[in-house]
Amino acid sequence: MFKRDLELEKRWGRLLEGLEETIGKKPKDLNGVLFLIGVQELGKGIKTFSKEQKQDLMHIAICKVLSLAGFYELEYIDQEGWPHWKLIDELPHFDILEQEKLLKIQILEYFEKEYQIEIN
């Protein structure tokens, strides 16, 4: 594992610990963190979501965090309050591990920018 990958995993672990302190439960994985971001971005609070809505929340989260890198921009919010994003720059063609790494980097940036949380 490269040094920068090791540092990313350390920062990611600290984020998970911080989320556990904040919400009382440690997200199991990347998808759990994406779900939390999606719920936060939707802004409707904690409620029961259907399987399809959970997938939509994760999509919202992916678009939000990748918008920080210029890949997406918010297009509009529909009448039910759900944000809709449009792709403005093609995503790089990565394998699954590189995709996961990109998302983790952008999620860390999301928490640092949106919540002024420094994750070192």
Side-chain angles (χ1 to χ4, degrees):
M1 184 177 274
F2 292 108
K3 184 178 178 180
R4 67 176 183 249
D5 292 342
L6 185 58
E7 184 59 32
L8 173 62
E9 289 307 312
K10 286 180 183 177
R11 291 179 68 218
W12 181 254
R14 287 191 291 274
L15 171 65
L16 295 180
E17 290 168 5
L19 289 172
E20 181 178 25
E21 289 175 18
T22 303
I23 63 172
K25 184 178 178 185
K26 186 176 183 178
K28 291 181 183 176
D29 56 16
L30 178 64
N31 289 335
V33 176
L34 288 169
F35 175 75
L36 289 174
I37 293 171
V39 169
Q40 182 64 31
E41 290 300 312
L42 182 61
K44 295 188 179 285
I46 298 171
K47 63 178 215 161
T48 303
F49 295 100
S50 69
K51 183 177 179 180
E52 183 178 322
Q53 287 174 321
K54 288 177 182 178
Q55 290 174 333
D56 291 343
L57 288 167
M58 291 175 60
H59 177 72
I60 288 169
I62 289 168
C63 292
K64 173 62 181 184
V65 301
L66 292 179
S67 74
L68 299 174
F71 291 109
Y72 286 90
E73 71 178 17
L74 183 62
E75 190 169 24
Y76 66 95
I77 297 176
D78 67 23
Q79 57 195 24
E80 294 176 6
W82 287 76
H84 294 263
W85 298 83
K86 70 176 181 178
L87 182 66
I88 58 171
D89 192 9
E90 286 297 316
L91 291 163
H93 295 284
F94 287 148
D95 65 27
I96 191 74
L97 293 175
E98 290 294 315
Q99 289 175 18
E100 184 174 301
K101 190 186 313 183
L102 174 63
L103 285 172
K104 285 181 177 181
I105 290 166
Q106 292 308 127
I107 288 169
L108 289 164
E109 184 176 339
Y110 169 83
F111 282 100
E112 290 172 341
K113 283 188 173 179
E114 298 289 321
Y115 298 98
Q116 291 75 47
I117 298 171
E118 194 168 321
I119 307 163
N120 290 322

